[in-house]
Amino acid sequence: MHQLAICELVERVRSGETTAESIAESSLAAIERARGLNAFTHISRTAVLVTARGIDERRRAGKPLGRLAGVPIAIKDALCTVDAPTTCASRILVSEGQPLEGSLSIPGRGWQPPFDATVVARLRAEDALIIGKANLDEFAMGSSTENSAFGPTLNPWDLSRIPGGSSGGSAVAVAAQLTPVSLGSDTGGSIRQPAGLTGIVGLKPSYGRVSRFGLVAYASSLDQIGPFAQDVRSAARVLGVIAGHDPNDSTCADREVPDYEAACDRDVRGLRLGIPAEYFGEGLDPEINEAVKSSIEDLKRAGCTVQPVQLPHTRYGIATYYVLATAEASSNLSRFDGVRFGLRVEPPRGDLAALYGHTRDAGFGAEVKRRILLGTYVLSAGYYDAYYAQAQRVRTLIRRDFEAAFSQVDAIITPTSPSPAFKLGEHQQDPLAMYLEDVYTLPCNLAGLAGLSVPTRQTRATEQRPSLPVGVQLLAPAFGEETLFALGAALERAAGGFPRLPADLTQRFETLRYLS
């Protein structure tokens, strides 16, 4: 039951054809069978069943139900939840003590926030079932979900491969049909890239469209929260719930929230699509190139026109991103010091600086330390102007490239990632190779645009690798999500619906017992 599209699921709950409790139990059972995927850090079993029963009682009493009544949703473990721990998949937010009920791989007591993130509160207000917290790269720093302190998440299409990151647990929850939708965060591609690698829909909203209040910050000028879903309309409904002004977030735009579901039914005839040569060059897997070109042909048959556009400063995107993002991370993560949150490691001598050092050394993983060091360096005296200030100037040039392109076209279409899902451990000793996995997604964040990844044709199975999902990325100007949903839905119709995970693969991972 929990595998239905959420619009149908909600109607069945409202009509009494099924109950929210039965849906919750179905989703919980699926999560338990798939424990080996390591998609979750915490399951809120007791809380979600209590919530579901309350929804069913209100329905029987004839009271109105919300837009997400009875829909199980996984929440990335970087979003604050008042009734479940928030760890950011980091040991620094886990202190000694008995783990909270439902904690899966957390070897201690995860930090318990005193409030819900705004997006979580809005989901609850629409009767969603917050079923658990999803695994991620530590503090959202990574492209593979291998950097989690609680072990990697596995790609259900091939258990030897990564699901993408940093929101890999959220993506796998949907791809493995454990929950119909989930929430992730996207700083440089952390929703779109795992969506592409696991064969589902992933939306990075425009910067300012969704409140970041209650999201543990990585890079505040780049972070944005968005949904994963098995179909475009489900993602549209979730965005309609979580979007909108929030006085708790000064960067959240005070703009009207459109009817995103209605946008899914729009005719795309006459829309102009831009094809940037910079996204189809060296380093792109030939099969991904072929699959994306097939999606372009689908949209042309639907009535779109196609023309080339230039984004010349895209080549500087990786360098610009890893200066700005690490600089902001260095500042944001300074709050984790052994005094206010989670882990505290007492030094052998009573010195506050030593307490900070011992705690942060024990609590942060290698990738987080790497990015803090990079960020601290580019912000340090003598290097600020050479690196950070210069990166801000290049960011402006990247944004202007997109502005010029969108003066000619309504949307841009590109691959989501340069290669299909790679093997676990393949890039662990080569940080640059890992960073290049986000080469097509991070310019969108630098420019504050809206981006959507939807599945397209899969790769062909060979002796070296099985058939794997491929994502196509659609980009629109800031606050242009309606255009993305119209185009994404058109691709979904052209494909006759996006493919689900084959049953034989589901059986394989349901018998897996992963040992970290």
Side-chain angles (χ1 to χ4, degrees):
M1 185 65 67
H2 69 278
Q3 295 176 1
L4 294 173
I6 67 172
C7 300
E8 183 178 353
L9 204 59
V10 171
E11 289 309 309
R12 291 194 183 196
V13 171
R14 286 175 172 172
S15 68
E17 185 178 344
T18 189
T19 64
E21 184 176 6
S22 66
I23 295 168
E25 288 175 340
S26 174
S27 183
L28 288 166
I31 292 168
E32 179 59 32
R33 290 194 301 270
R35 285 274 297 270
L37 291 174
N38 204 32
F40 286 86
T41 59
H42 180 90
I43 302 299
S44 302
R45 182 179 182 85
T46 301
V48 79
L49 289 174
V50 169
T51 301
R53 289 166 191 148
I55 292 169
D56 293 334
E57 289 173 6
R58 284 168 41 220
R59 183 198 60 77
R60 286 191 289 268
K63 296 180 180 179
L65 300 181
R67 287 177 283 172
L68 296 173
V71 176
I73 295 184
I75 304 295
K76 186 175 182 177
D77 197 7
L79 287 161
C80 290
T81 44
V82 73
D83 57 354
T86 296
T87 70
C88 296
S90 177
R91 288 190 174 88
I92 207 161
L93 280 173
V94 179
S95 56
E96 292 184 2
Q98 187 66 27
L100 294 172
E101 178 189 357
S103 294
L104 300 179
S105 50
I106 300 174
R109 191 171 186 85
W111 175 62
Q112 186 77 36
F115 60 92
D116 277 332
T118 294
V119 292
V120 174
R122 288 177 176 175
L123 292 173
R124 293 193 203 273
E126 294 292 343
D127 294 325
L129 302 176
I130 310 298
I131 208 156
K133 305 298 286 291
N135 201 8
L136 66 148
D137 284 299
E138 184 180 6
F139 282 103
M141 297 183 189
S143 304
S144 63
T145 317
E146 293 175 286
N147 295 326
S148 169
F150 312 125
T153 298
L154 310 185
N155 191 322
W157 290 86
D158 181 350
L159 302 177
S160 69
R161 294 177 185 270
I162 59 95
S166 64
S167 308
S170 298
V172 169
V174 175
Q177 300 173 39
L178 311 180
T179 63
V181 287
S182 64
L183 285 191
S185 64
D186 191 312
T187 307
S190 290
I191 292 174
R192 289 157 292 149
Q193 187 248 17
L197 298 186
T198 58
I200 59 175
V201 176
L203 174 75
K204 180 259 172 197
S206 310
Y207 188 79
R209 172 54 84 189
V210 177
S211 171
R212 294 181 297 108
F213 180 73
L215 171 66
V216 179
Y218 162 21
S220 302
S221 74
L222 302 165
D223 298 340
Q224 193 63 189
I225 301 163
F228 293 92
Q230 293 173 347
D231 64 288
V232 175
R233 191 176 296 273
S234 294
R237 178 168 293 196
V238 174
L239 181 63
V241 169
I242 64 174
H245 179 61
D246 176 18
N248 291 316
D249 177 5
S250 62
T251 67
C252 190
D254 189 3
R255 296 173 66 117
E256 183 180 352
V257 178
D259 186 343
Y260 294 123
E261 287 185 70
C264 297
D265 299 319
R266 286 188 183 176
D267 193 335
V268 298
R269 279 180 294 185
L271 286 182
R272 301 164 299 167
L273 294 180
I275 313 295
E278 295 84 357
Y279 285 66
F280 290 89
E282 183 181 355
L284 178 62
D285 184 285
E287 285 201 66
I288 291 182
N289 182 45
E290 181 182 329
V292 174
K293 293 292 178 62
S294 71
S295 289
I296 294 172
E297 292 303 314
D298 287 340
L299 289 173
K300 286 169 68 176
R301 282 190 288 271
C304 296
T305 61
V306 172
Q307 66 185 72
V309 293
Q310 279 73 49
L311 299 171
H313 293 96
T314 292
R315 61 185 296 191
Y316 305 113
I318 290 281
T320 301
Y321 175 86
Y322 279 99
V323 170
L324 298 179
T326 58
E328 294 184 28
S330 172
S331 175
N332 279 327
L333 270 64
S334 64
R335 72 194 66 181
F336 302 106
D337 54 12
V339 176
R340 290 165 288 186
F341 310 99
L343 184 70
R344 180 186 181 98
V345 178
E346 296 287 352
R349 53 190 174 83
D351 180 88
L352 186 60
L355 169 67
Y356 292 165
H358 279 71
T359 299
R360 289 164 69 82
D361 183 53
F364 288 139
E367 183 60 31
V368 173
K369 291 176 183 175
R370 181 183 293 118
R371 298 195 190 195
I372 290 173
L373 288 169
L374 284 169
T376 303
Y377 177 79
V378 302
L379 290 175
S380 59
Y383 298 101
Y384 179 94
D385 288 333
Y387 293 104
Y388 183 78
Q390 185 72 358
Q392 289 285 27
R393 296 186 188 100
V394 178
R395 180 180 189 171
T396 299
L397 295 176
I398 291 171
R399 189 182 70 247
R400 287 176 179 170
D401 283 351
F402 279 110
E403 289 171 353
F406 286 127
S407 70
Q408 307 169 49
V409 298
D410 301 297
I412 292 171
I413 185 167
T414 79
T416 301
S417 61
S419 64
F422 51 88
K423 292 270 190 177
L424 287 160
E426 188 173 327
H427 294 336
Q428 280 294 86
Q429 302 307 314
D430 188 351
L432 182 57
M434 187 75 79
Y435 298 166
L436 288 170
E437 290 297 321
D438 295 330
V439 66
Y440 300 143
T441 54
L442 57 82
C444 170
N445 299 75
L446 290 168
L449 309 176
L452 177 72
S453 179
V454 297
T456 184
R457 291 156 180 77
Q458 295 168 213
T459 64
R460 290 180 289 273
T462 67
E463 291 184 4
Q464 287 73 37
R465 70 186 186 199
S467 178
L468 293 170
V470 174
V472 58
Q473 178 179 226
L474 297 161
L475 302 174
F479 304 102
E481 287 84 1
E482 291 172 281
T483 300
L484 298 183
F485 286 130
L487 290 167
L491 286 174
E492 188 173 15
R493 288 191 294 271
F498 296 138
R500 300 289 182 91
L501 196 69
D504 60 328
L505 293 180
T506 303
Q507 292 165 5
R508 280 182 55 204
F509 69 69
E510 285 186 349
T511 59
L512 175 74
R513 288 294 178 266
Y514 178 75
L515 299 176
S516 62

